Amino acid sequence: MGEKPTRTLEEYGRILETYLQSTLASRRALDRKVTGGGGTYVTLGGRSDGTDQLLNCPCQAKKTRHFWSSSSCSRLELALTGHTERQIQLSDDDKKAICQRLELPAYKKLREKLQEKG
């Protein structure tokens, strides 16, 4: 009795850290092998129209770019139609500002695409 434990708490911590690092390295190597160097990407809300490039959108005054196409932007849809499938809210001032930005010459093609979309 009174024997010393075989491993200290610090040793268990080092073991756990080593295990986690090796597991993470293995998963990264597997990702590179399977996807050719890419990672895992998740699409949310049924939106699979994402891209790896930032796209301009009139939905926000300061941060005007995001990874999904503007023609499927929920903020823009809400501002134009008054409804969207996503659970978001915009003030009347925000809706008005989005519609005003949409009228800028930079968004001519987007306006045409939205008119085609209906």
Side-chain angles (χ1 to χ4, degrees), residues 12-60:
Y12 278 115
R14 279 193 232 124
I15 292 168
L16 178 60
E17 182 179 1
T18 302
Y19 170 76
L20 293 174
Q21 288 177 355
S22 68
T23 302
L24 182 59
S26 297
R27 286 186 182 175
R28 285 182 180 157
L30 181 61
D31 276 351
R32 282 191 296 274
K33 183 177 181 182
V34 172
T35 64
T40 302
Y41 300 95
V42 176
T43 58
L44 302 174
R47 298 181 183 278
S48 61
D49 62 341
T51 176
D52 60 352
Q53 297 177 352
L54 286 170
L55 303 171
N56 289 326
C57 185
C59 71
Q60 297 181 31

Side-chain angles (χ1 to χ4, degrees), residues 12-104:
Y12 278 115
R14 279 193 232 124
I15 292 168
L16 178 60
E17 182 179 1
T18 302
Y19 170 76
L20 293 174
Q21 288 177 355
S22 68
T23 302
L24 182 59
S26 297
R27 286 186 182 175
R28 285 182 180 157
L30 181 61
D31 276 351
R32 282 191 296 274
K33 183 177 181 182
V34 172
T35 64
T40 302
Y41 300 95
V42 176
T43 58
L44 302 174
R47 298 181 183 278
S48 61
D49 62 341
T51 176
D52 60 352
Q53 297 177 352
L54 286 170
L55 303 171
N56 289 326
C57 185
C59 71
Q60 297 181 31
K62 294 180 182 175
K63 180 185 165 210
T64 59
R65 296 159 41 121
H66 45 61
F67 290 104
W68 53 93
S69 71
S70 298
S71 62
S72 64
C73 176
S74 296
R75 289 174 53 90
L76 182 58
E77 180 183 23
L78 182 59
L80 294 173
T81 66
H83 65 278
T84 185
E85 291 180 15
R86 293 193 53 213
Q87 298 294 322
I88 58 172
Q89 294 181 355
L90 294 173
S91 69
D92 290 338
D93 289 341
D94 286 340
K95 292 176 189 176
K96 184 178 176 182
I98 290 170
C99 291
Q100 287 174 342
R101 285 191 293 273
L102 181 60
E103 294 302 317
L104 294 173

Side-chain angles (χ1 to χ4, degrees), residues 101-115:
R101 285 191 293 273
L102 181 60
E103 294 302 317
L104 294 173
Y107 298 113
K108 180 181 179 190
K109 288 184 181 181
L110 175 59
R111 288 192 303 273
E112 292 169 356
K113 189 172 183 177
L114 291 171
Q115 286 177 344

